[in-house]
């Protein structure tokens, strides 16, 4: 069983003597773990000797009226699952332990990358992610940290944070883990009822279809817009309410530089979607690689 710590000082005392000889990996989570999270731990183990998994439902990344209160908290089950993949330590702090002052009067993120896509529909969300991830990095001081590619924008923002604040941490993006029918695993999938769960894989199918069409199209703004309109219609017809469906460069260049996707060199693209199905807001993405 992994060792559980609820306090920063105790976790740091435990890790201090280990870090001179051993590499430490951090897998930040909000708990309610599924196979996607367990895969993050497996990947972390390939890059480090010790794996610390943080479990913290971070209040600052939830907006007014979002699911902070109802977000499933399942610490005992999570710890049992983590034992099956060999995680070494669980860091499960209280809100007071992480935030001496709430809301925190310090911000670490800025710029267009945080205000587009999920940042546009969830204002402040990435400010909350930025502060908690920075704190976890400072508390654990890992050599590597592993994040899922399902949260593509989050991963891009964290890479930017590490670069701009000179954290000596290697960030690893882990491929999306999917159910057999293609639905990206997410703790929020449990908000789907049986009928919605049948519909949910349509999101992945439509992204794959759009990716295929992008590979074979003329690569012009007109063509892209037509394909987006068609795909939005198909997703909406399946029963989703689309928050956004966008095509970006794989580096998520700022909105002002969106024309970069029509570059002659056909740089790699990412299709990103967020869509509501009943109570669940589902995220997915699909890379389009031209080489
Ligand atoms: O991806 C998540 O689960 C959260 O956003 C994270 C990175 C653990 C920060 O709270």
């Amino acid at each position: 069983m992994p060792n559980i710590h609820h306090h920063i000082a105790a976790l740091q005392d435990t890790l201090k003597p280990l870090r001179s000889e051993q590499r430490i990996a951090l897998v930040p989570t909000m708990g309610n773990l599924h196979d996607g999270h367990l895969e993050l731990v497996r990947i972390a183990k390939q890059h480090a000797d010790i794996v610390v998994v943080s479990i913290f439902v971070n209040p600052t990344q939830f907006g007014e009226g979002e699911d902070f209160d109802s977000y499933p908290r399942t610490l005992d089950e999570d710890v049992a699952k983590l034992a099956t993949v060999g995680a070494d330590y669980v860091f499960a702090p209280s809100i007071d332990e992480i935030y001496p002052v709430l809301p925190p009067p310090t911000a670490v993120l800025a710029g267009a990358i945080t205000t587009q896509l999920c940042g546009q529909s969830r204002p402040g969300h990435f400010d909350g992610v930025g502060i908690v991830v920075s704190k976890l990095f400072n508390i654990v001081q890992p050599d590597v940290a592993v994040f899922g590619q399902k949260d593509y924008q989050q991963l891009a923002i964290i890479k930017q944070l590490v670069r701009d604040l000179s954290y000596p941490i290697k960030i690893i993006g882990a491929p999306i883990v999917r159910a057999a029918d293609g639905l990206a695993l997410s703790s929020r999938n449990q908000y789907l009822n049986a009928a919605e769960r049948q519909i949910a894989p349509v999101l992945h199918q439509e992204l794959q279809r759009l990716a295929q069409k992008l590979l074979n199209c003329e690569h012009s703004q007109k063509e892209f817009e037509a394909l987006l309109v068609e795909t939005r219609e198909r997703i909406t017809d399946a029963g989703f309410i689309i928050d956004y469906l966008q095509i970006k460069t794989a580096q998520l260049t700022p909105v002002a530089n969106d024309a970069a996707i029509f570059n002659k060199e056909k740089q790699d693209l990412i299709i990103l979607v967020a869509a509501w199905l009943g109570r669940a807001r589902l995220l997915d993405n699909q890379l389009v690689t031209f080489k």
Side-chain angles (χ1 to χ4, degrees):
M1 276 290 185
N3 233 294
I4 307 181
H5 285 285
H6 299 286
H7 298 286
I8 296 170
L11 178 73
Q12 289 185 324
D13 284 351
T14 304
L15 295 178
K16 199 171 179 183
L18 306 177
R19 68 174 73 253
S20 61
E21 304 270 306
Q22 293 177 286
R23 282 172 64 78
I24 298 176
L26 171 66
V27 178
T29 81
M30 297 206 299
N32 196 239
L33 305 181
H34 50 65
D35 278 350
H37 296 110
L38 302 187
E39 187 58 18
L40 302 183
V41 176
R42 288 188 200 102
I43 292 171
K45 284 180 77 71
Q46 293 164 12
H47 294 267
D49 308 295
I50 296 169
V51 177
V52 179
V53 179
S54 62
I55 296 183
F56 179 64
V57 185
N58 173 34
T60 62
Q61 68 187 79
F62 289 80
E64 191 99 353
E66 292 188 348
D67 57 345
F68 173 70
D69 290 332
S70 59
Y71 199 87
R73 287 149 171 94
T74 50
L75 184 61
D76 292 346
E77 290 93 320
D78 291 346
V79 173
K81 286 181 188 171
L82 289 171
T84 67
V85 287
D88 300 285
Y89 297 98
V90 170
F91 177 49
S94 65
I95 292 179
D96 290 348
E97 185 75 7
I98 292 292
Y99 293 114
V101 177
L102 194 64
T106 302
V108 292
L109 289 176
I113 201 169
T114 66
T115 51
Q116 59 177 322
L117 302 163
C118 285
Q120 187 161 16
S121 34
R122 302 184 70 189
H125 168 67
F126 288 117
D127 298 329
V129 171
I131 189 96
V132 82
V133 169
S134 300
K135 292 193 70 133
L136 290 168
F137 284 171
N138 289 330
I139 292 164
V140 177
Q141 296 170 37
D143 299 285
V144 299
V146 188
F147 294 84
Q149 285 171 359
K150 182 174 75 66
D151 297 300
Y152 192 90
Q153 185 179 12
Q154 170 173 281
L155 178 61
I157 286 170
I158 288 164
K159 284 182 178 162
Q160 177 181 297
L161 183 79
V162 163
R163 182 198 66 199
D164 292 348
L165 296 185
S166 306
Y167 278 113
I169 302 172
K170 179 174 179 197
I171 300 300
I172 297 169
I176 300 177
V177 178
R178 299 184 180 278
D181 60 10
L183 175 65
L185 297 192
S186 162
S187 303
R188 290 188 169 104
N189 290 351
Q190 64 197 272
Y191 298 158
L192 299 168
N193 66 27
E196 290 159 354
R197 179 62 190 79
Q198 295 287 311
I199 297 168
V202 167
L203 210 52
H204 175 52
Q205 288 155 17
E206 287 303 328
L207 294 197
Q208 283 183 306
R209 183 178 179 278
L210 176 56
Q212 203 51 47
K213 295 211 161 203
L214 287 171
L215 281 173
N216 299 318
C217 86
E218 215 178 69
H219 219 82
S220 67
Q221 183 157 6
K222 202 166 150 222
E223 189 106 28
F224 275 28
E225 269 162 20
L227 285 173
L228 278 172
V229 167
E230 180 192 69
T231 308
R232 282 195 192 105
E233 256 172 41
R234 291 170 63 92
I235 293 174
T236 307
D237 288 350
F240 292 85
I241 296 173
I242 295 178
D243 180 348
Y244 61 78
L245 172 71
Q246 293 192 31
I247 303 166
K248 298 272 183 187
T249 63
Q251 292 72 32
L252 291 188
T253 37
V255 182
N257 298 341
D258 267 358
I261 63 176
F262 305 114
N263 180 317
K264 272 199 235 84
E265 321 247 299
K266 294 202 173 176
Q267 56 186 307
D268 293 348
L269 301 175
I270 182 89
I271 311 167
L272 302 123
V273 69
W276 288 92
L277 190 57
R279 214 160 65 79
R281 183 173 176 274
L282 303 180
L283 289 185
D284 208 339
N285 61 73
Q286 177 73 46
L287 262 173
V288 187
T289 312
F290 288 92
K291 278 149 239 135

